[in-house]
Amino acid sequence: MEYKELLIEKNTSIHEALNRLDTLRPKILFVVENDILMGSLTDGDIRRYLLNDGKISDSVYDACNKNPKKVAKSLIEARAMLSKDYIAIPVIDENKKVLDIYWGENSKAHTVLNVPIVINAGGKGTRLEPFTKVLPKPLIPVGDYPIIEHIIHAYEEYGCHEFKVIVNYKKELIKAYFNEVDKDYRIEFIDEDKPLGTGGGLSLLKNKINEPFFFVSCDSLLLEDYGKIYQKHIDNKNDITVILADRKVNIPYGVVNVDKNGEYLNISEKPQYTFLTNIAMYIVNPDIINDIEDDMRIDFPDIIEKEKEKGKKIGTYIVSEDKWLDMGVMPELEKMRSRLYGE
């Protein structure tokens, strides 16, 4: 469920709110005006309002709690608050605009996966230069933690405690960092002697993994139910599941359409295009590793194509773009920090 399903405009009727609350889990709505938080609304709030001679046709703003008990400035802060048994915690910015909502359904793993996680952390991160001239991309901080720790913490919530990290560029810095981290998970570093692309490093894991595993890059963080993704991989009997984001791009110009002879047809004024993008997160069956040639540079999309040609089943799992946090380039890195910390 998307967090926006828990938002309700302040002028909506109480009657409509009751209908929505009947279908929601958690049983709470957050009252907004143009995404600005105005209050929270539960069945209890409505019941008390109606007992005090309120009308079911009145607006939700009349009945809501105008001082919600807890709000957060970051998803990390919201996780800590949720452990105190609040139903849901809205994440807001300095203007009280709702950026996200954290609740039990999306903060705690209902399925304990306890599967291996392979993180590809060997690249140079050239798109983030000059920062990656000093630090390897996995150690670039996003708020209080480097990106690789955000990724690890996300999987820890699903009972995953075994991490294999493929390293190459500035690998000693990465290893030194984790030597100093107080951690309750196991991390094994897989050394590339030379760059092997975004997929070739998996060849170094032969005989090390015997169950389907998540294979992720250090570019992306996903705010999604990993249990559902993994279960779909198993249920569909996929050999590889490619996780995709439904991305929208607004073109700030008029786009001119012409025919094959170059004759004018029409203009689409500032159109929006939607496409599915590969976010470099996969679930992979262990036998795929055995198909990867040793000591050969290859990117994972090329591995997918080779496996497809062999008749292997390639599935997909699509998430909305607001569930995908990307740090591949500087503007996206700033967006990630803002989403996580609300600053």
Side-chain angles (χ1 to χ4, degrees), residues 17-253:
L18 282 170
N19 289 335
R20 286 183 59 183
L21 284 168
D22 280 342
T23 65
L24 287 176
R25 183 178 179 187
K27 298 294 184 182
I28 191 169
L29 290 165
F30 290 96
V31 179
V32 296
E33 184 175 28
N34 297 323
D35 289 337
I36 301 300
L37 183 66
M38 310 296 290
S40 61
L41 186 73
T42 64
D43 286 328
D45 295 321
I46 293 174
R47 195 162 50 247
R48 285 186 290 273
Y49 179 75
L50 295 178
L51 287 173
N52 286 313
D53 297 325
K55 298 177 181 177
I56 200 167
S57 58
D58 291 343
S59 75
V60 293
Y61 185 69
D62 294 327
C64 76
N65 170 16
K66 296 175 179 62
N67 294 293
K69 287 184 179 180
K70 288 292 180 182
V71 296
K73 294 296 185 182
S74 74
L75 289 170
I76 295 170
E77 183 179 310
R79 289 189 187 106
M81 291 180 180
L82 202 68
S83 66
K84 300 173 185 177
D85 296 326
Y86 292 102
I87 297 174
I89 306 294
V91 178
I92 61 173
D93 65 14
E94 65 275 8
N95 298 315
K96 297 186 71 175
K97 181 179 179 180
V98 179
L99 304 174
D100 211 331
I101 298 172
Y102 223 66
W103 70 95
E105 289 289 329
N106 69 353
S107 66
K108 298 175 183 176
H110 296 279
T111 301
V112 177
L113 292 175
N114 192 25
V115 298
I117 311 299
V118 179
I119 301 175
N120 187 11
K124 289 187 175 182
T126 53
R127 292 182 299 163
L128 289 174
E129 290 180 351
F131 298 98
T132 48
K133 292 289 188 181
V134 179
L135 283 176
K137 181 171 63 176
L139 294 188
I140 290 181
V142 182
D144 295 336
Y145 301 97
I147 178 59
I148 191 170
E149 270 205 278
H150 282 294
I151 292 170
I152 288 172
H153 293 163
Y155 284 101
E156 274 196 292
E157 292 183 3
Y158 288 80
C160 299
H161 300 290
E162 180 188 345
F163 296 88
K164 299 184 186 299
V165 181
I166 301 170
V167 291
N168 187 324
Y169 179 68
K170 294 186 181 292
K171 61 186 177 184
E172 296 307 323
L173 285 178
I174 299 172
K175 293 178 182 180
Y177 175 84
F178 279 99
N179 282 338
E180 300 298 322
V181 170
D182 183 17
K183 53 188 178 293
D184 57 1
Y185 50 84
R186 298 179 300 278
I187 186 166
E188 177 185 358
F189 292 103
I190 310 298
D191 289 338
E192 285 185 345
D193 293 329
K194 67 177 185 179
L196 295 176
T198 61
L202 285 177
S203 65
L204 303 171
L205 290 167
K206 288 175 181 175
N207 303 316
K208 289 180 176 288
I209 297 179
N210 55 18
E211 60 187 311
F213 60 94
F214 281 90
F215 180 43
V216 303
S217 77
C218 273
D219 287 333
S220 301
L221 183 64
L222 196 63
L223 305 177
E224 185 57 278
D225 188 331
Y226 293 178
K228 288 181 180 178
I229 301 173
Y230 192 85
Q231 193 59 52
K232 183 177 180 182
H233 175 85
I234 299 300
D235 290 346
N236 289 359
K237 298 181 171 58
N238 294 339
D239 292 291
I240 298 173
T241 294
V242 184
I243 301 168
L244 307 171
D246 185 10
R247 189 99 188 211
K248 298 176 179 62
V249 175
N250 293 305
I251 306 299
Y253 312 105

